[in-house]
Amino acid sequence: MSGRTDSDTRTETAEVDGAADMDDVDDDEEDPAGQARRARWTATGTGALLSLAGLAAALLRLSGAAPVLVPAAYAFGAAVCTFAAVLGSRGRTRRALWLLIVGTMIMALGDQFD
């Protein structure tokens, strides 16, 4: 074991390759604002997608012969996912993630009653 750190090895390797500057590093890895922006967009997009899927499933199950509890569970899960999308757009991404999980679980539980 040579006692070199990982960053020393990367710098030395870059100098050997002729690229001493580390411009290849993604800007979002070092930019906390970029990471937060990406998390907000992910939470908002995922919440919107799950909301649309839950509403579509509720409408499909409502037109079928399923018990009333099934479309109600899909609709309630979609509402929870919509709330998660709103929270995600406001920067509350951890709470949005947990609400997305809960909303999806509600929809899955409703599917079990079918």
Side-chain angles (χ1 to χ4, degrees):
M1 198 150 160
S2 66
R4 290 184 184 177
T5 62
D6 188 35
S7 61
D8 292 340
T9 307
R10 277 188 278 150
T11 305
E12 187 176 299
T13 306
E15 289 173 357
V16 170
D17 291 338
D21 56 343
M22 300 293 282
D23 289 337
D24 298 341
V25 177
D26 191 26
D27 290 337
D28 284 344
E29 289 179 8
E30 296 179 7
D31 183 23
Q35 288 178 347
R37 188 178 317 110
R38 189 171 55 230
R40 284 192 305 269
W41 276 102
T42 303
T44 304
T46 305
L49 183 67
L50 285 172
S51 297
L52 289 175
L55 287 176
L59 290 175
L60 285 173
R61 298 297 175 132
L62 190 62
S63 65
V68 178
L69 186 60
V70 176
Y74 276 113
F76 184 65
V80 171
C81 289
T82 302
F83 183 59
V86 170
L87 283 180
S89 70
R90 294 182 179 176
R92 305 290 186 182
T93 54
R94 286 188 189 133
R95 291 181 182 139
L97 171 66
W98 284 108
L99 282 175
L100 288 173
I101 293 169
V102 168
T104 306
M105 288 175 60
I106 291 170
M107 288 188 260
L109 182 67
D111 194 42
Q112 295 297 315
F113 292 120
D114 191 17

